Amino acid sequence: MSSGINIRGLSFRNIYAYGNNQSNAGHANLLSMAASNGGNAYASLEGAVSIPNGPGNTTQDVIVNGAGAHLYLKGDCILPNGFSSTNNGYIHFQQVPIITNKTLPLSTATAICSLQSTQGKVARYAGELSIVVRRTHPSNENGNISYYRLGVTKHDAGGSTLLVKVLATGGYADTTPGVGASSWPVFTWSLNTSTNNIVATPAANVGGVEFWFEIVASGQIVASTI
């Protein structure tokens, strides 16, 4: 891209790619954006699906490369090989809620969702998670409910700096479960830095039943189902 050239207004919606990049030549499986020589390129991607096949399975689906390359990426895209920015390219990630259900054994730590940065990185990231936990599916207005707002930072600061801080709670999260409270959604939270999974550990007397987790991420962090 030549100096001074600005490309704006490109919008890609509901595109589908299957079996791309089978030569595995380092190209993105779905979309590659690149800027150089002082040029700028802005585009958006939403509702897209990438199904890589063969050797292309080792390559990311979306790559945003170079200063001046900007992609507005909506979280409803299905990108099994992930996305990343490189060489000062930037991804403006647009969050969407996720929902997942897990049966948590009694007092047993269980991975709930995976995390990465909005730039597709896993070594460093930070942001907040708003998590509503229900005993029943959200379409059912009955059932026990809790709210947790978590501050999450993966860092190398060392010392006693917490990776997960509980910023706010509500509902059953503010109770102490007694005997017979297996369906109360009361948990402590941690980050597995090896797998980049958020982990919920039921309080004493809680577990052995299914819970539903509605998760909304904010800041420079992305949550995905596992």
Side-chain angles (χ1 to χ4, degrees):
M1 180 179 295
S2 300
S3 177
I5 291 181
N6 289 279
I7 299 175
R8 298 175 182 266
L10 291 176
S11 180
F12 302 99
R13 297 184 180 183
N14 304 319
I15 61 175
Y16 180 87
Y18 175 80
N20 279 354
N21 192 29
Q22 294 194 33
S23 65
N24 198 31
H27 308 297
N29 292 320
L30 178 69
L31 176 66
S32 177
M33 284 189 64
S36 62
N37 300 321
N40 293 283
Y42 289 79
S44 64
L45 180 67
E46 62 179 281
V49 179
S50 177
I51 309 296
N53 189 38
N57 278 326
T58 63
T59 306
Q60 289 179 310
D61 297 308
V62 173
I63 300 173
V64 182
N65 180 24
H70 294 261
L71 178 67
Y72 290 83
L73 176 61
K74 193 169 183 179
D76 64 349
C77 294
I78 298 175
L79 307 172
N81 281 23
F83 56 87
S84 71
S85 62
T86 186
N87 298 320
N88 296 325
Y90 195 80
I91 295 172
H92 305 260
F93 195 90
Q94 300 172 327
Q95 305 280 0
V96 299
I98 64 171
I99 182 170
T100 186
N101 58 308
K102 303 286 184 183
T103 297
L104 281 71
L106 280 166
S107 302
T108 300
T110 302
I112 304 301
C113 66
S114 65
L115 300 180
Q116 62 182 321
S117 80
T118 56
Q119 306 307 304
K121 314 300 182 183
V122 295
R124 303 286 183 271
Y125 47 74
E128 293 187 8
L129 298 175
S130 291
I131 304 177
V132 174
V133 191
R134 304 173 189 263
R135 173 62 183 91
T136 58
H137 188 275
S139 62
N140 185 337
E141 66 178 349
N142 298 315
N144 304 332
I145 187 171
S146 289
Y147 171 72
Y148 297 90
R149 182 162 64 91
L150 309 178
V152 182
T153 307
K154 185 178 181 182
H155 56 77
D156 60 351
S160 60
T161 306
L162 293 176
L163 300 175
V164 178
K165 295 182 180 180
V166 178
L167 305 177
T169 58
Y172 277 78
D174 294 329
T175 65
T176 301
V179 175
S182 62
S183 64
W184 291 18
V186 183
F187 312 105
T188 58
W189 300 88
S190 60
L191 175 65
N192 184 322
T193 56
S194 297
T195 62
N196 293 292
N197 290 338
I198 281 290
V199 176
T201 301
N205 302 311
V206 172
V209 298
E210 180 184 60
F211 293 99
W212 289 83
F213 298 81
E214 297 172 271
I215 304 169
V216 179
S218 61
Q220 305 308 307
I221 199 170
V222 177
S224 302
T225 57
I226 53 176

